[in-house]
Amino acid sequence: MISKTKQEFIEEWDWLTGKPLGIPVDRSVAHKEGIPHEGVHLWIYKIIAGQIWILLQKRSSQKDLYPSVLDISVGGHVPFGLNEGKIQKEASEELGIDVNDEELADLGYFRYEEKIPQMDLFHREFQHIWIMNSNIEIDDYSFSDGEVEAVCFIRLDDFISVLSGEISCAESLYYDGKDVYKKKIEFEEFHPLFFSPGMKEYLTKIIEAIRQNS
């Protein structure tokens, strides 16, 4: 949930061993003090006319970190004490969809660290990543919990070209919760971390896995 409106406890992990410690910590404290924890990510894609399209969500304007930018399909933190159905919980809350284990390709964990002093942010996370090929129509996604404002599909090749700086915008199929329409997505609308050097390995892993599974 959005930490501005609700205190959230997550589990501390050991940064060296990558193991959970069974210690609850306030999410906001973890993000200030660099306390390692688990995150879950799901990248949803589909094949349209022989091309791979990926689903991005527009983060709520009320998010405490990176509001109103286009982010991965589903992403979140794991509430303390939750041991099963972690990505299923996030997918249901953020996009209103049911996800079965059989639909998921598990890519394992990615160790991520981010320091932004001007934001009082020190983020260390073990990101558990999945990808999923889904034929869910764009207007069958729903978002009513305040986490997500819209979703869009863009071609994977266009996404890669934006990341590399080859193009500055990408055409998308956009759904704002009411209407479906075509929308040009400008460079500035994508999550800034997509362009961070520290995310290159992560995104390469995702892109290769999607292509291999398509």
Side-chain angles (χ1 to χ4, degrees):
M1 294 297 150
I2 301 173
S3 58
K4 280 182 177 180
T5 58
K6 182 179 179 181
Q7 188 177 37
E8 180 181 356
F9 286 93
I10 55 181
E11 183 173 8
E12 181 177 352
W13 283 42
D14 185 275
W15 190 238
L16 296 179
T17 66
K19 301 296 182 182
L21 298 177
I23 302 172
V25 59
D26 188 294
R27 173 180 158 180
S28 62
V29 174
H31 283 172
K32 289 182 179 181
E33 300 182 4
I35 298 173
H37 53 277
E38 182 184 19
V40 289
H41 291 182
L42 172 61
W43 288 79
I44 297 172
Y45 66 97
K46 68 189 308 182
I47 310 300
I48 304 175
Q51 293 185 313
I52 304 170
W53 293 67
I54 59 172
L55 183 76
L56 300 178
Q57 63 158 271
K58 182 178 180 182
R59 294 167 64 88
S60 167
S61 61
Q62 300 303 309
K63 283 280 193 178
D64 53 351
L65 295 176
Y66 304 110
S68 302
V69 295
L70 291 173
D71 203 352
I72 65 177
S73 312
V74 176
H77 294 81
V78 179
F80 182 78
L82 181 64
N83 297 313
E84 297 181 354
K86 298 173 182 179
I87 195 61
Q88 287 85 350
K89 174 181 180 296
E90 289 296 326
S92 176
E93 291 179 351
E94 294 188 358
L95 299 183
I97 60 173
D98 294 324
V99 174
N100 298 317
D101 287 339
E102 296 76 17
E103 300 176 279
L104 301 171
D106 189 341
L107 305 189
Y109 283 89
F110 181 83
R111 185 191 298 253
Y112 178 75
E113 182 175 59
E114 175 189 11
K115 293 182 180 180
I116 306 180
Q118 62 270 29
M119 294 176 61
D120 196 19
L121 176 67
F122 182 14
H123 191 187
R124 293 198 295 182
E125 186 173 86
F126 293 94
Q127 299 168 340
H128 195 170
I129 309 165
W130 293 266
I131 61 173
M132 182 176 74
N133 186 349
S134 175
N135 289 320
I136 297 173
E137 297 296 331
I138 193 168
D139 54 356
D140 284 333
Y141 292 101
S142 63
F143 24 94
S144 58
D145 69 346
E147 292 281 343
V148 179
E149 292 185 355
V151 292
C152 69
F153 274 108
I154 69 168
R155 283 182 290 267
L156 178 62
D157 287 344
D158 287 346
F159 181 61
I160 295 169
S161 294
V162 169
L163 295 182
S164 69
E166 183 179 343
I167 60 176
S168 62
C169 61
E171 295 291 340
S172 77
L173 183 64
Y174 199 90
Y175 177 53
D176 60 11
K178 296 180 180 179
D179 300 307
V180 178
Y181 49 93
K182 293 181 179 179
K183 182 179 187 296
K184 184 175 291 187
I185 306 297
E186 302 292 339
F187 171 90
E188 296 82 4
E189 296 178 71
F190 291 93
H191 199 305
L193 288 182
F194 286 156
F195 307 95
S196 167
M199 289 293 286
K200 185 175 181 179
E201 180 183 351
Y202 170 96
L203 289 169
T204 298
K205 179 177 183 178
I206 301 302
I207 292 165
E208 289 178 352
I210 290 176
R211 282 179 166 163
Q212 290 172 4
N213 283 269
S214 298

